[in-house]
Amino acid sequence: MNKFKKTELVIYPIFIVVMIVLDQITKIIAQSVLPFGGTGVKVIDRFFYFTYMTNYGGAWSLFEGHTWIFVIAAVVAVGALGYFFFKTKPEDKFARFGFALVIAGAIGNCMDRIMLGFVRDFVDLIIFGYDFPIFNIADICIVLGVFLIILDTFEEELKQWRQSRKS
C-alpha cells in the first residue's frame, strides 16, 4: 500500500458513503415525486428536465434483463478499483478522488439492481438537440471519476514529457 495519511483512510470511505447516500436519496425522491415515463418536469426548457425512468440494462439500456451480469461486473469492478486506488501515489489526488467516485457510483447502481432489479434514473439533458439517455447521481460519479483518473494520467504524462524536454 502506498503512503496514505490516516485522515485519507477515513475521508475517502466517508466520501464514498456520502455519495452513495446522496445517490439513493435522490433516487427515492425522484421515484416518489416524479411521474413515471416520458413526462418530464421542466427545469430549463429544451435543456434540463427531471424524468423518472427505470433501466433494466446498462447504459442506453444495453443488455436489458441481465441484472446479475451487471451485479457481478460491479463487484469485480469495485474490487479492481479498490486495488488500483491503494496502488496510487500520494501525489495522485485526482486519481484517488476519481477512484472513490467510480466506486461510489458502481455501488449506488449495484444497490438498485440488487434491491429492485433495475436502476432508477431521473436526470434528463438535451444538448445541441441530442436527448441524452436519462441518468442519475451514480452515473455522474462514474463519468466524473473516470474523467479525473484520465486527467491524472495525462498530468503524469505531461510532467514526464516536460522532464524529457529539459534534458
Side-chain angles (χ1 to χ4, degrees), residues 11-21 99-101 103-104 107:
I11 289 172
Y12 283 111
I14 288 173
F15 175 73
I16 290 170
V17 169
V18 166
M19 294 310 296
I20 293 168
V21 169
F99 283 124
L101 281 168
I103 289 168
I107 292 171

Side-chain angles (χ1 to χ4, degrees), residues 70-129:
F70 291 107
V71 170
I72 292 166
V75 169
V76 170
V78 167
L81 292 164
Y83 172 80
F84 289 118
F85 173 83
F86 283 108
K87 287 292 196 180
T88 59
K89 299 177 209 145
E91 62 270 13
D92 296 337
K93 299 294 183 197
F94 287 138
R96 287 182 176 181
F97 189 55
F99 283 124
L101 281 168
V102 177
I103 289 168
I107 292 171
N109 280 341
C110 189
M111 287 173 63
D112 272 17
R113 292 183 199 287
I114 290 170
M115 295 184 310
L116 305 169
F118 55 84
V119 174
R120 298 168 288 181
D121 293 323
F122 58 92
V123 179
D124 189 2
L125 293 178
I126 301 170
I127 300 177
F128 300 117

Side-chain angles (χ1 to χ4, degrees), residues 4-99:
F4 280 88
K5 296 176 188 170
K6 288 179 185 173
T7 55
E8 289 178 315
L9 293 174
V10 172
I11 289 172
Y12 283 111
I14 288 173
F15 175 73
I16 290 170
V17 169
V18 166
M19 294 310 296
I20 293 168
V21 169
L22 177 66
D23 173 62
Q24 291 298 308
I25 288 172
T26 56
K27 288 173 178 176
I28 290 167
I29 292 169
Q31 185 176 14
S32 54
V33 302
L34 295 174
F36 180 78
T39 307
V41 175
K42 177 176 51 173
V43 179
I44 301 172
D45 191 32
R46 290 178 274 177
F47 175 67
F48 180 35
Y49 300 83
F50 286 122
T51 306
Y52 178 71
M53 296 292 288
T54 55
N55 183 354
Y56 289 86
W60 292 276
S61 295
L62 293 173
F63 304 108
E64 194 167 317
H66 295 86
T67 301
W68 289 103
I69 291 173
F70 291 107
V71 170
I72 292 166
V75 169
V76 170
V78 167
L81 292 164
Y83 172 80
F84 289 118
F85 173 83
F86 283 108
K87 287 292 196 180
T88 59
K89 299 177 209 145
E91 62 270 13
D92 296 337
K93 299 294 183 197
F94 287 138
R96 287 182 176 181
F97 189 55
F99 283 124

